[in-house]
């Protein structure tokens, strides 16, 4: 009998060898989560800080009239800066309108502050509502550059919650899921 000379047979992996891979993946996911939360916190830091009284601003209402945020004291305000040309805004808006209707009896007021372009804004918003979301009409106001600057809006959508005293209690840059919006509404309504 002769033995063939060659590479030694493969050594079977020890039990639990895959555990290192799983632990490595979990560590990478954990680190990714920490980085993501850090980015969110950095974005939040660029918005009006919690506890700040909302700027006193007057905005034109869609269809006529004006809205002053200070006139909404005593109610929780969900103030969303959006535009018809913004895909995440368009995707998020049906959930905002649905939740606004659901929570209105509990003291929530929804303000959809359009950042569409100047003189064309009413036509753009009207077309959007007619084609996609007619129930949005009573909530629309037009936020000019001064309003956007006062609320540090540099990206859309940007969502603020104001307490019953007109102070910022929460803010988010970027869109949220319906469940995420609902959690924020519930938290805001529980504030004294």
């Amino acid at each position: 009998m002769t033995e063939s000379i060659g590479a030694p047979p493969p050594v079977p992996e020890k039990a639990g060898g895959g555990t290192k891979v799983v632990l490595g993946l979990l560590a990478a996911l954990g680190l990714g989560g920490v980085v993501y939360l850090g980015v969110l916190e950095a974005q939040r830091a660029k918005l009006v800080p919690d506890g700040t009284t909302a700027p006193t601003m007057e905005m034109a209402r869609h269809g006529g009239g004006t809205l002053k945020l200070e006139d909404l004291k005593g109610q929780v305000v969900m103030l969303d800066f959006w535009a018809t040309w913004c895909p995440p805004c368009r995707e998020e808006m049906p959930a905002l309108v649905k939740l606004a209707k659901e929570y209105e009896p509990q003291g929530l007021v929804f303000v959809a502050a359009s950042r569409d372009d100047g003189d064309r804004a009413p036509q753009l918003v009207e077309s959007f509502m007619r084609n996609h979301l007619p129930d949005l009409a009573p909530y629309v106001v037009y936020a000019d550059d001064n309003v956007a600057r006062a609320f540090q809006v540099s990206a859309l959508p940007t969502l603020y919650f104001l307490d019953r005293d007109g102070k910022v209690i929460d803010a988010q840059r970027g869109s949220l899921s319906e469940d995420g919006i609902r959690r924020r509404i519930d938290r805001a309504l529980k504030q004294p």
Side-chain angles (χ1 to χ4, degrees):
M1 260 195 202
T2 59
E3 281 186 34
S4 64
I5 302 178
V11 177
E13 241 183 77
K14 292 181 182 176
T19 304
K20 288 181 182 177
V21 172
V22 171
L23 289 175
L25 287 172
L26 287 174
L29 286 173
L31 179 61
V34 168
V35 168
Y36 176 73
L37 291 174
V39 168
L40 287 180
E41 187 59 32
Q43 287 181 339
R44 175 64 180 100
K46 295 176 185 175
L47 297 171
V48 175
D50 290 354
T52 303
T53 299
T56 56
M57 295 284 169
E58 185 171 288
M59 295 175 274
R61 286 184 177 275
H62 181 75
T66 59
L67 171 74
K68 293 180 183 177
L69 289 177
E70 60 263 24
D71 292 343
L72 301 177
K73 283 191 178 175
Q75 300 172 84
V76 171
V77 177
M78 179 171 64
L79 173 62
D80 182 56
F81 291 91
W82 71 289
T84 60
W85 49 260
C86 164
C89 301
R90 293 168 62 107
E91 291 171 21
E92 182 181 58
M93 192 56 72
L96 290 168
V97 170
K98 174 188 171 192
L99 293 170
K101 287 180 174 192
E102 181 181 331
Y103 283 94
E104 281 172 354
Q106 297 176 43
L108 180 75
V109 175
F110 176 42
V111 178
S114 171
R115 290 289 296 139
D116 282 287
D117 301 325
D119 295 340
R120 295 186 37 221
Q123 293 83 16
L124 294 168
V125 170
E126 185 65 39
S127 177
F128 172 76
M129 289 186 305
R130 185 176 47 254
N131 294 320
H132 303 287
L133 195 58
D135 292 345
L136 177 61
Y139 307 110
V140 175
V141 298
Y142 297 100
D144 63 20
D145 291 343
N146 292 328
V147 173
R149 239 185 326 276
F151 280 95
Q152 300 175 8
V153 175
S154 62
L156 298 176
T158 296
L159 181 67
Y160 278 93
F161 285 91
L162 310 178
D163 69 9
R164 289 173 175 84
D165 294 324
K167 293 183 179 176
V168 173
I169 53 171
D170 196 3
Q172 166 74 32
R173 182 172 286 137
S175 62
L176 290 167
S177 67
E178 183 175 328
D179 287 339
I181 299 166
R182 182 181 301 279
R183 282 192 299 275
R184 288 171 185 255
I185 291 171
D186 286 336
R187 235 185 355 249
L189 287 170
K190 288 178 183 170
Q191 298 271 332

